């Protein structure tokens, strides 16, 4: 099942993608897609809907973040060995965990604003994990039971602030618009094995990243279990799980970064695609 939210920013309606690929309106069934919607029981109710009976949404509406009410946006760094190598950093013995501020969340195709003075804004295609039920001290064997579904994330990063402005990665990760999510939340049952998903990213039509979630150092179950030992994960929380090689920071013979006017397109098998134009900060 593919759940989404569509419409103008701040006035999104709940939607679902029917078997024929059309967008159908869910607002006659639920008010919004919230943390309460992501529980197993509520998702099971939605699974029983006959989407053919729902109103078709015509045209090409904007997609928003596919669910509302995220409390925590947690990220994992250096989770692909070849990406660690291109970053000139050792393979971590434990997951590298940091935060992306929830204020950076935005729709998958909305423009991304390059921060004031930035010359090192970078791209990262990542598999997003969406929590469906509260998880605290979860065993790895049980961890996936707490996952509602998965989504595409561009973990946009400002490398100067991340790497050169002290030891706290968070500073380079949470600028406004740096968290495109969607277009859909694809439920766990439809995705199947999260460790076998192809992912890719292009900049101005040039393929920069090609990878597969099978090459993660720490898989989804391990990450949910590990993170839940340090914090309580709540429904609607997002874990973004790291990126394969090919980011701007790792380009040879020298890094190169995004500038105003660049267009980034990315996608993950079964989860859909995103596209963002990067624009200059305007002072707003």
């Amino acid at each position: 099942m593919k759940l989404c939210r569509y419409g103008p920013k701040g006035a999104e309606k709940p939607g679902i993608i029917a078997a024929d690929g059309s967008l159908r309106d869910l607002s006659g069934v639920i008010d919004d897609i919230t943390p309460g919607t992501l529980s197993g029981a509520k998702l099971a109710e939605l699974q029983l809907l006959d989407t053919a009976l729902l109103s078709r949404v015509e045209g090409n509406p904007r997609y928003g973040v596919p669910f509302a009410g995220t409390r925590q946006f947690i990220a994992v760094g250096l989770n692909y060995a070849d990406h660690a190598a291109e970053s000139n950093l050792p393979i971590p013995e434990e997951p590298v965990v940091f935060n992306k501020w929830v204020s950076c969340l935005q729709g998958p195709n909305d423009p991304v604003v390059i921060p004031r003075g930035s010359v090192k804004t970078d791209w990262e295609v990542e598999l997003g994990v969406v929590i469906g039920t509260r998880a605290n001290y979860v065993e790895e064997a049980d961890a996936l039971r707490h996952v509602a579904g998965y989504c595409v994330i561009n973990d946009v990063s400002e490398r100067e602030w991340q790497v050169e402005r002290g030891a706290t990665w968070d500073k380079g990760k949470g600028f406004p618009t740096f968290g495109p999510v969607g277009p859909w939340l694809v439920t766990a049952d439809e995705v199947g094995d999260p460790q076998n998903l192809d992912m890719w990213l292009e900049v101005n039509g040039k393929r920069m990243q090609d990878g597969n979630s099978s090459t993660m150092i720490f898989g989804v179950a391990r990450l949910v279990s590990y993170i839940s030992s340090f914090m309580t994960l709540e429904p609607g929380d997002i874990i973004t799980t790291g990126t394969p090689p090919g980011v701007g920071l790792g380009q040879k013979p020298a890094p190169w970064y995004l500038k105003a006017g660049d267009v980034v397109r990315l996608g993950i098998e079964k989860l859909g695609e995103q596209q963002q134009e990067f624009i200059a900060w305007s002072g707003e």
Side-chain angles (χ1 to χ4, degrees):
M1 182 167 58
K2 297 180 177 71
L3 298 174
C4 61
R5 297 168 70 244
Y6 68 94
K9 189 174 182 179
E12 294 90 346
K13 295 181 178 181
I16 189 169
I17 305 300
D20 63 1
S22 64
L23 171 59
R24 304 293 178 128
D25 181 28
L26 268 180
S27 59
V29 179
I30 54 176
D31 292 333
D32 202 352
I33 300 171
T34 66
T37 314
L38 303 180
S39 67
K42 191 62 180 179
L43 288 179
E45 289 180 22
L46 294 176
Q47 293 274 18
L48 298 176
L49 288 173
D50 183 351
T51 55
L53 300 178
L54 300 174
S55 298
R56 181 191 292 262
V57 180
E58 303 294 346
N60 187 29
R62 169 190 174 270
Y63 282 103
V65 178
F67 45 93
T70 295
R71 188 175 66 95
Q72 300 176 122
F73 192 1
I74 305 136
V76 178
L78 305 177
N79 199 27
Y80 291 73
D82 34 13
H83 172 55
E86 73 173 353
S87 302
N88 296 314
L89 293 168
I91 295 173
E93 296 182 4
E94 294 190 35
V96 175
V97 178
F98 57 94
N99 284 301
K100 288 179 75 76
W101 320 125
V102 294
S103 57
C104 80
L105 288 168
Q106 70 161 10
N109 303 314
D110 294 342
V112 174
V113 178
I114 297 173
R116 182 178 63 180
S118 169
V119 294
K120 295 184 179 181
T121 294
D122 206 347
W123 61 83
E124 295 189 11
V125 58
E126 302 201 3
L127 171 64
V129 179
V130 182
I131 299 299
T133 57
R134 177 177 289 185
N136 187 230
Y137 292 112
V138 172
E139 296 296 328
E140 188 170 340
D142 297 324
L144 295 186
R145 298 179 186 177
H146 295 269
V147 174
Y150 303 92
C151 55
V152 182
I153 292 176
N154 188 354
D155 177 19
V156 186
S157 308
E158 210 298 329
R159 301 301 189 189
E160 180 182 0
W161 282 83
Q162 176 190 351
V163 178
E164 302 171 32
R165 301 290 295 269
T168 307
W169 282 22
D170 311 55
K171 289 183 291 186
K173 294 286 191 171
F175 286 97
T177 74
F178 268 33
V181 177
W184 316 305
L185 165 68
V186 185
T187 52
D189 62 297
E190 185 165 326
V191 174
D193 181 6
Q195 303 307 151
N196 188 28
L197 299 172
D198 290 332
M199 57 183 68
W200 55 271
L201 182 144
E202 296 175 351
V203 179
N204 299 330
K206 181 180 180 180
R207 185 62 60 99
M208 304 302 299
Q209 291 186 273
D210 264 312
N212 186 285
S213 58
S214 64
T215 63
M216 284 183 185
I217 299 168
F218 307 104
V220 171
R222 170 67 173 140
L223 293 175
V224 172
S225 174
Y226 180 86
I227 294 169
S228 78
S229 69
F230 296 99
M231 65 196 313
T232 300
L233 294 169
E234 300 282 0
D237 287 352
I238 305 169
I239 301 171
T240 189
T241 57
T243 197
V247 301
L249 175 66
Q251 297 303 305
K252 307 299 181 186
W256 63 273
Y257 298 104
L258 295 163
K259 62 185 183 303
D262 286 341
V263 175
V264 173
R265 191 168 72 95
L266 59 150
I268 299 179
E269 181 182 1
K270 300 182 181 181
L271 304 183
E273 299 183 8
Q274 303 181 352
Q275 179 170 300
Q276 302 103 26
E277 180 182 0
F278 280 67
I279 63 175
W281 182 76
S282 64
E284 298 179 358

